[in-house]
């Protein structure tokens, strides 16, 4: 993977962490369990990123 792909993965990690903290109230209010639609959104975004990386790898090689 080149530098731009690592930056993309790092950005996705940071956004996932921010969304998790915002959804659960971690560190700033009473903790709330994560909601099912948040889990679906997380899984969808990560599956989309993985699919994009696999498709890009197949086209490059």
């Amino acid at each position: 993977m080149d530098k731009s792909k690592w930056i993309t993965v790092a950005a996705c990690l940071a956004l996932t962490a921010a969304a998790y903290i915002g959804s659960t109230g971690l560190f700033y209010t009473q903790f709330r369990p994560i909601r099912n639609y948040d889990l679906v959104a997380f899984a969808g975004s990560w599956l989309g990123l993985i699919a994009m990386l696999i498709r890009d790898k197949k086209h490059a090689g």
Side-chain angles (χ1 to χ4, degrees):
M1 285 194 345
D2 60 354
K3 185 177 179 179
S4 65
K5 290 179 185 170
W6 282 113
I7 292 171
T8 303
V9 171
C12 199
L13 279 171
L15 289 171
T16 299
Y20 179 79
I21 290 169
S23 176
T24 61
L26 190 63
F27 304 125
Y28 68 92
T29 188
Q30 184 177 357
F31 183 79
R32 303 178 295 266
I34 194 158
R35 298 173 290 244
N36 286 339
Y37 61 87
D38 290 332
L39 292 174
V40 171
F42 292 153
S45 64
W46 277 100
L47 288 173
L49 177 65
I50 291 167
M52 182 203 67
L53 291 173
I54 290 171
R55 186 182 66 219
D56 188 50
K57 185 175 182 177
K58 286 182 181 179
H59 288 328

